[in-house]
């Protein structure tokens, strides 16, 4: 999509590198990426060719594309239709591309509200963690009408190596929920099984080697198990913030009548860790309640 100016709002751990890649891979000097955030600290280091960093929300005015990368659906809704009314500041017919992870139902509601302003909406949550955002190798899951998704695909290909159109508006968020829930189930399973293995006398380092190289291996195991062995629980997205994914899955299950017993069990493990005060830690900390229950530590060196 050839544009002279696109805006980016939300410069957290994922948004910061995504904004840089959008600017670094622009096809010509005539395009500008305007990165907007109310926190000046998150604007640091973003000035560069084709990239303008500012705390002034009016910089969004007239943009042809607005990217959002915000914590949750309520924040997205407030940014678009609250006091700043970003949706109405865009050029007529502009496209809002929401990279945030929000509930399926919220994405549908936001899409309808954006359409009512005469703009278009694509929900495009991403997967790949901050490392994928830095490298520009994210997986992007898009929901929206085919014309809008096709229009922003060249922009999304600057930040991801796999850009998938999953269906109408909301389909991207539905896909992201499924992806995240499967990830959470993997971690919840590790959290209960690893302490059991250690309690029964298996060596933590050897069982870790098996679950990260054998048939049970997964990205969750490969990322979290080495960190569990070192007692490091502060390198991933906080559980308290990520809990929204399981809330979204529960809503889909209840509203659609879809049985999800394994997801419900994983949610109980998640909730236990949150109730015990581990919400500021990453998902690997789900192992801590089971360690306490069994009186063991899944750590290198015993």
């Amino acid at each position: 999509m050839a544009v002279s100016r696109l805006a980016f709002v939300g410069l957290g751990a994922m948004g910061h590198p995504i904004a840089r890649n959008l600017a670094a891979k622009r096809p010509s000097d005539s395009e500008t990426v305007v990165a907007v955030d109310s926190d000046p600290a998150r604007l640091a280091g973003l000035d560069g060719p084709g990239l303008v960093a500012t705390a002034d929300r009016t910089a969004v005015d007239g943009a042809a594309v607005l990217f959002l990368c915000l914590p949750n659906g309520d924040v997205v809704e407030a940014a678009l239709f609250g006091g700043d009314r970003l949706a109405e500041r865009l050029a007529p017919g502009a496209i809002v591309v929401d990279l945030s992870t929000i509930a399926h139902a919220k994405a549908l509601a936001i899409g309808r509200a954006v359409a009512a302003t005469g703009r278009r909406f694509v929900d495009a949550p991403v997967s790949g963690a901050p490392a994928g955002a830095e490298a520009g190798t994210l997986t992007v899951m898009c929901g929206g009408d085919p014309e809008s998704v096709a229009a922003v695909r060249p922009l999304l290909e600057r930040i991801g190596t796999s850009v998938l159109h999953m269906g109408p508006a909301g389909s991207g968020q539905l896909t992201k929920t499924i992806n995240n829930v499967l990830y959470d189930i993997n971690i919840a399973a590790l959290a209960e099984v690893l302490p059991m293995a250690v309690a029964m006398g298996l060596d933590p380092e050897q069982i870790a080697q098996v679950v990260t190289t054998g048939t049970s291996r997964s990205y969750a195991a490969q990322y979290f198990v080495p960190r569990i062995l070192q007692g490091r629980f502060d390198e991933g997205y906080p559980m308290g913030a990520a809990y929204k994914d399981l809330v979204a899955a529960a809503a889909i299950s209840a509203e659609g009548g879809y049985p999800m017993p394994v997801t419900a069990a994983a949610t109980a493990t998640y909730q236990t860790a949150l109730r015990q005060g581990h919400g500021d830690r990453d998902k690997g900390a789900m192992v801590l309640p089971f360690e306490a229950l069994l009186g063991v530590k899944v750590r290198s060196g015993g």
Side-chain angles (χ1 to χ4, degrees), residues 17 21 43 67 70 77 85 102 105 110 113 118 124 140 163-164 167 176 185 229 239 284:
N21 278 324
L43 298 172
F67 284 91
L70 297 167
E77 201 166 43
R85 305 196 68 81
I102 67 176
I110 290 173
V140 188
V163 179
L164 304 170
K176 180 65 184 291
I185 289 171
L229 287 176
M239 273 195 289

Side-chain angles (χ1 to χ4, degrees), residues 207-228:
I207 193 65
Q209 185 174 352
V210 171
V211 302
T212 56
T213 62
T215 53
S216 65
R217 70 187 182 277
S218 64
Y219 178 81
Q222 291 169 335
Y223 182 85
F224 282 108
V225 172
R227 289 164 173 78
I228 291 171

Side-chain angles (χ1 to χ4, degrees), residues 51-113:
L51 183 59
V52 176
T54 179
D56 182 3
R57 293 294 178 106
T58 65
V60 169
D61 292 2
V65 181
L66 170 64
F67 284 91
L68 300 173
C69 192
L70 297 167
N72 57 56
D74 291 340
V75 177
V76 170
E77 201 166 43
L80 289 172
F81 311 112
D84 292 323
R85 305 196 68 81
L86 297 184
E88 295 178 7
R89 293 181 178 276
L90 303 173
I95 303 176
V96 175
V97 182
D98 186 21
L99 306 175
S100 317
T101 297
I102 67 176
H104 173 249
K106 179 71 79 172
L108 294 176
I110 290 173
R112 290 190 293 268

Side-chain angles (χ1 to χ4, degrees), residues 129-149:
E134 289 282 356
T137 58
L138 295 168
T139 295
V140 188
M141 299 151 270
C142 302
D145 66 81
E147 294 78 14
S148 297
V149 174

Side-chain angles (χ1 to χ4, degrees), residues 21 29 59 115 133 142 167 203 236 257 271 288 296:
N21 278 324
D29 292 341
C142 302
D203 177 75
Q271 290 167 334
L288 296 175
V296 298

Side-chain angles (χ1 to χ4, degrees), residues 189-190 192-217 221-222 225-226 228-229 287 291 296-300:
L190 290 164
E192 69 177 52
V193 170
L194 293 180
M196 178 198 72
V198 174
M200 294 184 69
L202 294 180
D203 177 75
E205 292 185 359
Q206 288 188 319
I207 193 65
Q209 185 174 352
V210 171
V211 302
T212 56
T213 62
T215 53
S216 65
R217 70 187 182 277
Q222 291 169 335
V225 172
I228 291 171
L229 287 176
V287 77
E291 289 183 340
V296 298
K297 295 284 187 182
V298 184
R299 301 289 184 274
S300 295

Side-chain angles (χ1 to χ4, degrees), residues 119-265:
R119 281 81 178 176
R120 295 178 282 169
F121 179 75
V122 173
D123 56 297
V126 299
S127 183
E134 289 282 356
T137 58
L138 295 168
T139 295
V140 188
M141 299 151 270
C142 302
D145 66 81
E147 294 78 14
S148 297
V149 174
V152 298
R153 180 179 288 275
L155 299 174
L156 295 172
E157 288 175 345
R158 299 184 199 176
I159 68 172
T161 51
S162 183
V163 179
L164 304 170
H165 183 198
M166 304 306 300
S171 298
Q173 295 297 349
L174 180 58
T175 305
K176 180 65 184 291
T177 296
I178 291 168
N179 181 72
N180 284 7
V181 166
L182 288 171
Y183 186 49
D184 290 341
I185 289 171
N186 270 265
I187 301 165
L190 290 164
E192 69 177 52
V193 170
L194 293 180
M196 178 198 72
V198 174
M200 294 184 69
L202 294 180
D203 177 75
E205 292 185 359
Q206 288 188 319
I207 193 65
Q209 185 174 352
V210 171
V211 302
T212 56
T213 62
T215 53
S216 65
R217 70 187 182 277
S218 64
Y219 178 81
Q222 291 169 335
Y223 182 85
F224 282 108
V225 172
R227 289 164 173 78
I228 291 171
L229 287 176
Q230 298 301 318
R232 289 153 47 197
F233 302 106
D234 59 354
E235 296 185 11
Y237 195 58
M239 273 195 289
Y243 182 57
K244 63 185 178 182
D245 299 320
L246 290 166
V247 172
I252 291 168
S253 175
E255 291 165 8
Y258 302 115
M260 298 176 69
V262 177
T263 302

